Amino acid sequence: AQSVTQPDIHITVSEGASLELRCNYSYGATPYLFWYVQSPGQGLQLLLKYFSGDTLVQGIKGFEAEFKRSQSSFNLRKPSVHWSDAAEYFCAVGNAGNNRKLIWGLGTSLAVNP
Amino acid sequence: DAGVIQSPRHEVTEMGQEVTLRCKPISGHDYLFWYRQTMMRGLELLIYFNNNVPIDDSGMPEDRFSAKMPNASFSTLKIQPSEPRDSAVYFCASRASLRAEQFFGPGTRLTVL
């Protein structure tokens, strides 16, 4: 079955600390992978995406993610967190085939301590 | 460029009333998705359209929910009659045919009393 797992429901980090949010997927086809961020009261904004090529992808707001096929993972990282990064983060997987739906994780809520 | 536009941003209604949510996708996008987000169930895909045609409505919870896309620039999600358990944030998203990423609107927060 196709699924996306974000093992951490909630994470708290101190401002300036590094961050890693985990995402594992189960998907039959070659995956397209996404990270979205949702600030309180806002819609979801695309942070970054992986389709093919270099397995380390850069996104907006200083985020990056690494695709590891052997581990079926696509973890999101940021070297130094800012208070404005406090938000909900969603991982999603899809493909370029006929199925245009994305499979979504349940999200990880990030809190940032000053 | 304007993003996905949704209206209203907030809707408070009483149980039994009809609710209509509206969405304008990004110009040139030919896929449109309706999602519902709740604390209990997370982000759920309700239905999606391709070129104004509903492709997959398996996520629509029951017959009280209906969605239409009369043209490429407008879609509605209707709930009739509404129930308190329909309270949620409803998102519309769109994507271009040759792209995989979806772009989301700001959402409509629905409260059914």
Side-chain angles (χ1 to χ4, degrees):
Chain A
Q2 300 173 341
S3 65
V4 174
T5 301
Q6 294 181 244
D8 304 305
I9 295 174
H10 185 84
I11 285 181
T12 300
V13 299
S14 297
E15 191 168 17
S18 63
L19 172 70
E20 182 170 31
L21 303 182
R22 296 182 291 164
C23 173
N24 295 97
Y25 67 90
S26 173
Y27 202 72
T30 300
Y32 287 6
L33 294 154
F34 306 87
W35 275 99
Y36 284 80
V37 60
Q38 184 181 25
S39 298
Q42 304 295 315
L44 281 73
Q45 181 184 20
L46 180 66
L47 274 178
L48 48 76
K49 60 192 178 189
Y50 171 79
F51 292 165
S52 64
D54 192 346
T55 56
L56 184 64
V57 294
Q58 303 297 319
I60 62 172
K61 306 186 180 189
F63 285 91
E64 66 178 27
E66 185 172 12
F67 171 58
K68 294 185 177 180
R69 184 184 299 276
S70 62
Q71 299 178 19
S72 297
S73 69
F74 188 57
N75 294 348
L76 182 71
R77 301 194 293 250
K78 187 169 185 178
S80 178
V81 171
H82 188 263
W83 64 267
S84 61
D85 293 324
E88 190 87 13
Y89 291 81
F90 293 91
C91 181
V93 63
N95 67 54
N98 290 330
N99 186 345
R100 301 298 185 176
K101 297 191 291 189
L102 294 179
I103 309 299
W104 293 87
L106 293 181
T108 296
S109 177
L110 174 66
V112 180
N113 287 332
Chain B
D1 287 340
V4 175
I5 298 172
Q6 291 187 248
S7 65
R9 292 293 310 275
H10 302 273
E11 177 81 30
V12 180
T13 190
E14 293 188 346
M15 183 174 62
Q17 296 298 305
E18 177 180 295
V19 175
T20 299
L21 311 181
R22 297 172 176 79
C23 175
K24 177 179 171 57
I26 293 172
S27 178
H29 284 191
D30 47 11
Y31 284 85
L32 184 140
F33 303 80
W34 280 102
Y35 289 90
R36 177 172 68 177
Q37 185 180 41
T38 61
M39 290 293 292
M40 293 299 295
R41 301 173 68 90
L43 195 63
E44 303 174 275
L45 176 65
L46 300 178
I47 185 172
Y48 79 92
F49 296 83
N50 177 218
N51 291 324
N52 315 334
V53 176
I55 302 300
D56 185 346
D57 65 355
S58 59
M60 296 285 263
E62 48 197 278
D63 291 346
R64 297 185 297 106
F65 286 69
S66 63
K68 294 182 179 180
M69 192 164 186
N71 57 63
S73 60
F74 184 66
S75 177
T76 60
L77 177 68
K78 185 175 295 186
I79 308 173
Q80 166 63 18
S82 58
E83 296 182 3
R85 59 193 169 117
D86 301 330
S87 296
V89 181
Y90 291 82
F91 288 105
C92 176
S94 70
R95 59 164 279 186
S97 184
L98 299 180
R99 312 286 294 183
E101 61 267 40
Q102 298 177 14
F103 294 87
F104 282 74
T108 296
R109 180 173 295 278
L110 173 65
T111 302
V112 183
L113 303 175

